[in-house]
Amino acid sequence: MKEHRGFPWIILCLSFIIYPNSAQPNEASRRLSTDLMKNYNKMIRGVKDLGEITTLFIHFSLIRIAEFDEVNGKLSLVGYFGIYWNDYRMAWDPEQYYDTYTILFEEKEVWRPLIVLASPQEEFKRLGHDDNFFVRFSPNGNAEWFPGDIWATACTPDVYTYPYDTQTCVVTYVIWAYAVHEVTVKVLFDTVSLHVYTPHGMWDLIDTSVTSNVDVGRGLTSIDITLVMKRISTFHLINMILPIVFVGLLNILVFLLPVQSGERVGYSITVLLAIAVFQTLASDNLPSVSKPQVSLLCIKLLVDLILSALVTTLGIVTLYFYHMTESRRVPSCVAAVTRFVLCKNCCKDETNVIPEQEYEKHGIGAIESVSGKYNHSVKVTWTDVGKSSDILFAVFSLLTFLASNIVFVLYVAY
């Protein structure tokens, strides 16, 4: 029992020994923070001589593409920078602070580079928020800063081959308020880091680059982040391209409608209005200004609209032929074309063969006159002209439809 009574005293003594040692790192960090902040001015760069250059080592990590609005030319990115530099005032001996090898400060407490988004969509925006991110220092004075945000930047799209287009957007940041001989930038990686990137549902990120540039004339150091994105066109193919093609194909069927139905003009106007609706939808989804040219899809829709208007006009012309009075003589050139299209002279009736009785009745000398009676050309009516015009205009519509779509595909593909 006596041995057990002494055991709590041993535990108590050990607690007095262990407690100060376990609390020492917190006390050391507090003391280190106080010592480092003595006479520290966050408005002055951390160099011994102001003639020295502060070198920033930078890399950029992209988390996701939040939005790309082609109509307004707006690209929104979610990502963060990794920025490293040296501040000699923040160096210390770890052994004097209980082997403390790192310490954190709020970014508003220490000097940090002023980096501004130079290609904003709405307003200039600097990296950091003064109270959301920390700067980590190591004993040799090296600083690590990881500011992140959602940046809305301007990007003028090139929708010439929409919806099979590839967009190249350049996001530019500049070192603000510091001359090129005061702060310089070195890029750690020449591409954007994608180890935390989440793919976008509409855009494939096919290439990236990160470069730093020095404009001595303007005294600016810039960081350019280039993103090359290719549109995923499956949605637009199903909901835009194929319906446009099928509506254009309907133009050809106008000339297959029976004249007696009285629906030709109404049908052709309906197709014309459908193309106009698609043109409105395309214009709503595309910017009014595009470099270097407007979209091929808009040009194709305009061509289809013109062809549809032409088909409507041709349909009215054919109705004019069908309802022409038979007392009006068919012009010889129109009759010749009609015979060729309907092949009236190729397939003759048996009535055009001279009967044997005519030879016996009129004799051999009258063969020529009798032949003229039975081998005269088939009479062409205005109904025949209407039928031949239906064939010609249908072939014309088919050829223009094929030409329009083939040219569009070739331009988009190449």
Side-chain angles (χ1 to χ4, degrees), residues 332-359:
S332 57
C333 57
V334 176
V337 173
T338 302
R339 292 192 192 98
F340 174 78
V341 173
L342 299 181
C343 202
K344 279 187 171 289
N345 289 336
C346 300
C347 305
K348 297 180 179 179
D349 298 332
E350 293 182 357
T351 56
N352 291 335
V353 180
I354 302 174
E356 185 177 351
Q357 294 81 355
E358 294 293 335
Y359 285 99

Side-chain angles (χ1 to χ4, degrees), residues 252 300 303-304 307 395-411:
I252 306 171
K300 173 181 165 36
V303 172
D304 288 349
L307 292 177
V395 172
F396 169 78
S397 300
L398 177 61
L399 293 178
T400 54
F401 168 78
L402 293 176
S404 170
N405 287 277
I406 290 174
V407 170
F408 174 74
V409 171
L410 291 178
Y411 268 92

Side-chain angles (χ1 to χ4, degrees), residues 191-219:
T191 59
V192 174
S193 176
L194 301 177
H195 64 282
V196 293
Y197 175 69
T198 302
H200 194 270
M202 188 177 295
W203 296 94
D204 278 334
L205 191 61
I206 60 178
D207 192 19
T208 63
S209 66
V210 181
T211 58
S212 63
N213 303 285
V214 177
D215 189 340
V216 180
R218 294 186 297 173

